[in-house]
């Protein structure tokens, strides 16, 4: 019956085997132009549950399955859905990839799982909404972009500001030259993130699949501080706050400046505040150098005041004035004139709606936050972290995906994948 419900697209690619032994092919994609999209949410923490709400709110979409290695979390996610008793609940995402009735997946797992699941989903014929940062390393992000392109899938990145009409209008205004030449943008991430203390190694809760949570990361004992949410602050799974929150500001700054990969990256950072299990910096300053402009990233995780007007935001400095993009929306100030609002509109729900409409049209070219742009912004975050870890200026060769003449820095451009969790070939 499911098969009659829709029309299958023609096969385009080679298959690979899932761990359950079922052949994935890119042919499983459906033409959903005349039907409701059946969506699955993989990773059901706070953000996964926001995905459940946003996808289920759309008339042309139904959340048919949720998936988490933690049964409490997948049950909680299913409960938030209007059709909760009909929602399939899975521990293992491979089962979702094997389910041909699922058209689209969204991935809201920890960062180290984003690209591997996204690539496998594309190979299984799904369109993908992947949370930011789309990759844990630059190399796997490049592979994800190649997979999306090769199999012509809609792959939207969770940098939802790209779908905020207010920001779209403000950036258009600036890029049309109304502020003159824009020579610098500052991406600001100032907030208070409380210390996490120290937690000992322990036994994982009985009900969860800790091995599948670890996935490609090295085998290590369980610890509360490396588990839900706090994984953000550990290099094996997370990308620090530059990849967590900073990526939103860096993405807007890069978009406004109209630039891609930088010529050089200079980063400094460390822990001036935390004395706990954090591995990632609480203070970080990165300068990205381009031919005609600079992009600056400034992060402090120990300031809960907003004395400078922005906690999270971007300021573009141009010859005739500044454009500010922040929690108050977008504001423009011409030299000697009062600040005025420019553009209005929301973003998260619209980013998801835009994804669903592109899937229905089977047209990745209309995505507001396409994966190739998401990949470049994620790479800027990774380069900012690599610069901190090696402590010197980096020259990045985007074409070869390598840091020039720096073998120590290049160790962080890719990663080792635990046996059984290697990246698939595309
Ligand atoms: N776009 C945004 O504004 C925004 C906001 C918040 C979070 N995020 C992103 O969403 C992601 C999730 O964030 P969170 O705060 O919900 O984290 P979280 O740790 O609370 O939730 C992640 C969930 O994924 C599950 N998981 C781990 N491995 C899995 C696997 N192999 N298969 C299925 N489930 C698995 C975990 O058990 C957990 O429940 C992060 O990458 C974060 O950066 C984006």
């Amino acid at each position: 019956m499911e098969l009659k419900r829709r029309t299958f697209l023609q096969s385009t690619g080679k298959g690979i085997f899932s761990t359950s032994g079922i052949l994935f092919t890119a042919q499983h994609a459906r033409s959903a132009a005349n039907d409701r999209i059946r969506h699955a949410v993989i990773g059901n923490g706070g953000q996964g549950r926001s995905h459940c709400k946003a996808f289920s709110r759309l008339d042309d979409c139904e959340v048919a399955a949720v998936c988490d290695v933690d049964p409490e979390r997948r049950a909680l996610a299913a409960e938030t859905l209007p059709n909760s008793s009909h929602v399939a609940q899975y521990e293992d995402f491979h089962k979702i990839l094997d389910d041909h009735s699922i058209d689209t997946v969204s991935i809201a797992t920890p960062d180290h799982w984003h690209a591997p699941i996204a690539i496998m989903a594309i190979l299984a014929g799904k369109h993908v909404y992947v949370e930011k940062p789309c990759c844990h390393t630059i190399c796997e992000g490049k592979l994800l972009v190649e997979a999306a392109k090769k199999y012509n899938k809609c792959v939207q990145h969770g940098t939802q500001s790209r779908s905020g009409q207010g920001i779209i209008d403000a950036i258009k205004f600036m890029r049309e030259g109304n502020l003159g030449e824009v020579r610098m943008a500052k991406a600001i991430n100032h907030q208070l993130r409380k210390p996490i203390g120290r937690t000992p190694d322990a036994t994982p809760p009985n009900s969860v699949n800790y091995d599948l949570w670890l996935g490609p990361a090295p085998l290590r004992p369980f610890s509360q501080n490396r588990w839900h949410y706090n994984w953000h602050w550990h290099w094996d799974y997370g990308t620090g706050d530059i990849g967590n929150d900073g990526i939103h500001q860096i993405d807007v700054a890069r978009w406004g400046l109209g630039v891609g990969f930088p010529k050089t990256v200079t980063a400094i950072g460390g822990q001036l505040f935390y004395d706990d299990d954090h591995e990632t910096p609480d203070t970080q300053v990165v300068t990205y150098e381009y031919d005609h402009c600079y992009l600056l990233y400034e992060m402090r995780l120990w300031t809960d005041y907003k004395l400078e007007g922005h906690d999270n935001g971007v300021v573009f400095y141009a010859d005739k004035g500044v454009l500010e993009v922040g929690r108050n929306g977008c504001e423009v100030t011409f030299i000697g004139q009062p600040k005025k609002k420019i553009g209005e509109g929301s973003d998260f729900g619209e980013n998801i709606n835009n994804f669903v409409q592109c899937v229905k049209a089977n047209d990745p070219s209309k995505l507001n936050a396409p994966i190739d742009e998401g990949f470049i912004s994620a790479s800027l975050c990774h380069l900012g972290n690599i610069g901190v870890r090696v402590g010197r200026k980096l020259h990045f060769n985007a074409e070869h995906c390598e840091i020039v003449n720096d073998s120590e820095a290049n160790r962080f451009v890719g990663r080792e994948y635990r046996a059984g969790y290697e990246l698939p070939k595309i």
Side-chain angles (χ1 to χ4, degrees):
M1 195 178 131
E2 274 301 314
L3 290 175
K4 281 197 211 125
R5 206 164 64 87
R6 301 162 195 236
T7 316
F8 278 96
L9 293 179
Q10 292 304 305
S11 169
T12 49
K14 287 190 298 193
I16 61 151
F17 284 94
S18 72
T19 51
S20 59
I22 293 178
L23 183 71
F24 290 156
T25 65
Q27 77 194 23
H28 292 137
R30 290 150 181 258
S31 162
N34 304 313
D35 215 335
R36 286 182 95 201
I37 282 170
R38 283 170 57 79
H39 182 73
V41 178
I42 304 174
N44 304 150
Q47 186 64 356
R49 292 197 295 280
S50 298
H51 283 204
C52 286
K53 283 195 197 109
F55 277 96
S56 63
R57 209 174 279 145
L58 299 173
D59 287 341
D60 24 25
C61 185
E62 169 192 354
V63 177
V66 293
C67 168
D68 201 293
V69 299
D70 181 338
E72 269 182 38
R73 288 204 154 188
R74 52 182 189 262
L76 200 60
E79 270 169 30
T80 63
L81 292 164
N83 55 339
S84 53
S85 58
H86 298 288
V87 176
Q89 296 183 32
Y90 294 107
E91 176 185 274
D92 186 347
F93 67 88
H94 294 96
K95 297 228 169 82
I96 286 180
L97 305 191
D98 294 346
D99 181 345
H100 300 166
S101 78
I102 299 289
D103 304 297
T104 56
V105 299
S106 54
I107 303 164
T109 59
D111 300 353
H112 67 295
W113 261 122
H114 289 178
I117 298 179
I119 295 167
M120 284 187 257
I122 291 169
L123 292 170
K126 317 292 185 203
H127 300 275
V128 179
Y129 187 100
V130 59
E131 266 309 338
K132 52 75 197 166
C134 60
C135 50
H136 191 247
T137 69
I138 298 176
C139 283
E140 66 182 25
K142 189 165 183 273
L143 191 68
L144 171 57
V145 171
E146 285 166 8
K149 199 167 170 196
K150 179 168 178 185
Y151 296 104
N152 194 36
K153 291 293 164 206
C154 297
V155 184
Q156 178 96 308
H157 195 230
T159 34
Q160 62 265 12
S161 299
R162 294 252 177 181
S163 288
Q165 195 54 50
I167 306 185
I168 292 170
D169 292 345
I171 284 187
K172 182 165 178 283
F173 175 83
M174 183 178 70
R175 288 185 60 170
E176 282 170 353
N178 291 300
L179 278 172
E181 202 69 44
V182 188
R183 302 183 199 280
M184 189 183 282
K186 192 164 165 185
I188 299 166
N189 179 11
H190 298 168
Q191 56 190 303
L192 175 64
R193 287 198 184 274
K194 291 190 178 136
I196 56 173
R198 298 189 188 277
T199 59
D201 289 353
T203 314
N206 270 338
S207 55
V208 307
N209 187 336
Y210 177 60
D211 193 79
L212 191 54
W213 187 97
L214 280 177
L219 193 57
R220 265 187 97 165
F222 175 92
S223 177
Q224 247 347 300
N225 263 348
R226 294 193 291 272
W227 180 234
H228 293 330
Y229 196 78
N230 279 342
W231 53 263
H232 275 297
W233 323 127
H234 297 270
W235 294 122
D236 280 345
Y237 331 105
T239 46
D241 213 43
I242 191 172
N244 181 35
D245 227 340
I247 190 164
H248 289 298
Q249 296 94 47
I250 287 176
D251 185 59
V252 169
R254 202 177 60 68
W255 173 27
L257 291 171
V259 293
F261 285 105
K263 289 199 302 190
T264 69
V265 179
T266 313
I268 189 167
Q271 293 180 2
L272 305 183
F273 172 58
Y274 297 140
D275 180 12
D276 59 13
D277 281 337
H278 268 89
E279 293 176 351
T280 55
D282 59 40
T283 311
Q284 193 169 8
V285 180
V286 189
T287 307
Y288 301 93
E289 182 192 6
Y290 294 92
D291 280 337
H292 303 292
C293 61
Y294 296 145
L295 193 167
L296 262 60
Y297 173 70
E298 190 183 294
M299 178 182 98
R300 294 191 305 262
L301 302 185
W302 35 273
T303 47
D304 56 353
Y305 48 80
K306 298 176 186 172
L307 293 178
E308 294 163 287
H310 294 282
D311 52 350
N312 287 85
V314 184
V315 184
F316 294 95
Y317 302 92
D319 288 348
K320 297 184 192 168
V322 301
L323 169 68
E324 297 168 69
V325 179
R327 292 202 197 274
N328 296 334
C330 303
E331 294 167 316
V332 68
T333 314
F334 284 95
I335 299 165
Q337 290 181 29
K339 199 179 266 195
K340 62 176 187 200
K341 280 244 175 234
I342 175 171
E344 252 175 63
S346 60
D347 41 34
F348 180 63
E350 193 41 46
N351 209 41
I352 284 176
N353 184 38
N354 166 252
F355 168 68
V356 167
Q357 298 318 316
C358 289
V359 171
K360 289 187 78 180
N362 202 19
D363 184 1
S365 74
K366 299 283 190 305
L367 290 168
N368 287 340
I371 197 60
D372 44 340
E373 291 295 335
F375 165 59
I376 300 174
S377 295
S379 298
L380 260 62
C381 299
H382 293 311
L383 289 167
N385 280 336
I386 296 170
V388 167
R389 293 176 89 177
V390 300
R392 56 183 164 266
K393 189 171 185 172
L394 309 175
H395 297 257
F396 185 63
N397 179 328
E399 197 190 331
H400 296 115
C401 206
E402 66 173 19
I403 295 161
V404 180
N405 293 332
D406 195 332
S407 55
E408 190 196 356
N410 274 317
R411 283 196 301 122
F412 297 115
V413 173
R415 79 173 301 167
E416 300 251 321
Y417 292 81
R418 192 154 64 99
Y421 291 100
E422 296 87 356
L423 288 178
K425 299 227 175 325
I426 66 157

